[in-house]
């Protein structure tokens, strides 16, 4: 079955600390992987995506993610979190011509 | 580029009335648009996929007679919630894909919050 798992419902980090949000997927075909961020009451903004090639992808706002096929993971990282990064983060997987499957989301809180 | 708008951003309606939500791709042609529903503190649930000029494909459990989707042009899709009830209150988000087979990237609208009283 195709699925996306974000095991952490809520994470709190201190401002300036590093961040890693986990994402594991199960997908039968070549996966296209995405991370989106959603602020309260807003739509989704694409942070980064992986289609092929270099398994370490850089995104906006200083985020990066690493695709690990052997672990079926696509974890999101940021070396130094800013207070404005507090939001909900969604991992998604899709395939060519297919729809997206979203994870349940991870809410990030940032302590001053 | 690749901007998707939704209108209205927020709507309140009375139970039993119908509400139409528009989703527009502003600077690209969207051959495929998607409608999602999101409950508070939950993930996005795909409701339906619409391709320009053809009938929408609804996900299992979504009432197609209640959630009417029309994709009349390459830049506009509409979702009409018919005979709305309080349980239809939710955050509705649309997304658009520029063309088939281009990496499946979807561009999301800002969402529409529907409150049914």
């Amino acid at each position: 079955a195709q699925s996306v798992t974000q095991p952490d419902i809520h994470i709190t980090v201190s401002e300036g600390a590093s961040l890693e949000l986990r994402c594991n997927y199960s997908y039968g075909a070549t996966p296209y992987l995405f991370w989106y961020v959603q602020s309260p009451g807003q739509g989704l903004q694409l942070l980064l995506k992986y289609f092929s090639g270099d398994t370490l992808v850089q995104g906006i706002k200083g985020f990066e993610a690493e695709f690990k096929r052997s672990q079926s993971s696509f974890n999101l990282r940021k070396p130094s979190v800013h207070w404005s990064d507090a939001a909900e983060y969604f991992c998604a997987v899709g395939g060519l011509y297919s729809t997206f499957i979203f994870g349940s989301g991870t809410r990030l809180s940032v302590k001053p | 580029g690749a901007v998707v708008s939704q209108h209205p951003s927020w709507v309140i309606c009375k139970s039993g009335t119908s509400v139409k939500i528009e989703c527009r791709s502003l600077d690209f042609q969207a051959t495929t648009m998607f409608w999602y529903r999101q409950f508070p503190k939950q993930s996005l649930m795909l409701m339906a996929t619409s391709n320009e000029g053809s009938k929408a494909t609804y996900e299992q459990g979504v009432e197609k007679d209640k959630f009417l989707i029309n994709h009349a042009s390459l830049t506009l899709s509409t979702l009409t919630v018919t005979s709305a009830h309080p349980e239809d209150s939710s955050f509705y988000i649309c997304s658009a894909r520029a063309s088939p087979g281009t990496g499946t990237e979807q561009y999301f609208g800002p969402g529409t919050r529907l409150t049914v009283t």
Side-chain angles (χ1 to χ4, degrees):
Chain A
Q2 299 174 352
S3 64
V4 176
T5 302
Q6 292 180 247
D8 304 305
I9 297 173
H10 183 204
I11 284 182
T12 300
V13 299
S14 298
E15 190 168 17
S18 63
L19 169 71
E20 182 170 31
L21 301 182
R22 296 182 290 166
C23 173
N24 292 94
Y25 68 90
S26 173
Y27 201 74
T30 300
Y32 294 82
L33 296 154
F34 307 83
W35 273 99
Y36 287 89
V37 62
Q38 184 182 35
S39 296
Q42 303 294 315
L44 274 68
Q45 181 182 24
L46 179 67
L47 287 175
L48 47 79
K49 60 189 177 187
Y50 173 78
F51 290 167
S52 64
D54 192 347
T55 57
L56 184 63
V57 293
Q58 303 297 321
I60 63 171
K61 303 184 178 185
F63 286 93
E64 67 177 28
E66 185 171 13
F67 171 58
K68 293 185 177 179
R69 185 185 298 276
S70 61
Q71 298 177 20
S72 298
S73 69
F74 188 57
N75 294 347
L76 180 71
R77 301 194 293 250
K78 186 170 185 178
S80 177
V81 170
H82 188 262
W83 64 266
S84 60
D85 294 324
E88 189 85 19
Y89 291 80
F90 292 98
C91 179
V93 65
L96 205 61
Y97 306 116
S98 70
T99 59
F100 279 13
I101 301 169
F102 281 90
S104 54
T106 297
R107 183 160 62 95
L108 173 65
S109 297
V110 180
K111 290 190 300 185
Chain B
V3 177
V4 175
S5 71
Q6 281 185 243
H7 178 80
S9 56
W10 184 39
V11 58
I12 301 174
C13 71
K14 292 188 176 181
S15 187
T17 62
S18 295
V19 174
K20 180 183 285 187
I21 302 170
E22 292 186 348
C23 176
R24 292 182 186 271
S25 55
L26 298 185
D27 50 4
F28 66 99
Q29 293 186 326
T31 52
T32 305
M33 287 186 167
F34 305 89
W35 287 96
Y36 295 85
R37 184 173 180 177
Q38 185 180 31
F39 291 104
K41 300 188 186 299
Q42 294 189 26
S43 188
L44 281 73
M45 181 188 76
L46 179 65
M47 299 174 66
T49 302
S50 74
N51 292 292
E52 185 265 339
S54 61
K55 288 186 178 181
T57 302
Y58 290 82
E59 296 298 302
Q60 192 172 11
V62 177
E63 299 175 61
K64 58 183 179 182
D65 294 331
K66 180 167 190 61
F67 298 100
L68 301 179
I69 292 172
N70 182 278
H71 192 161
S73 77
L74 286 172
T75 59
L76 174 64
S77 176
T78 60
L79 167 68
T80 302
V81 183
T82 63
S83 186
H85 291 283
E87 58 265 29
D88 298 323
S89 298
S90 191
F91 194 54
Y92 293 88
I93 303 176
C94 74
S95 70
R97 193 160 68 195
S99 60
T102 56
T104 79
E105 184 164 351
Q106 295 181 27
Y107 303 96
F108 285 82
T112 296
R113 182 161 304 283
L114 169 63
T115 301
V116 184
T117 60

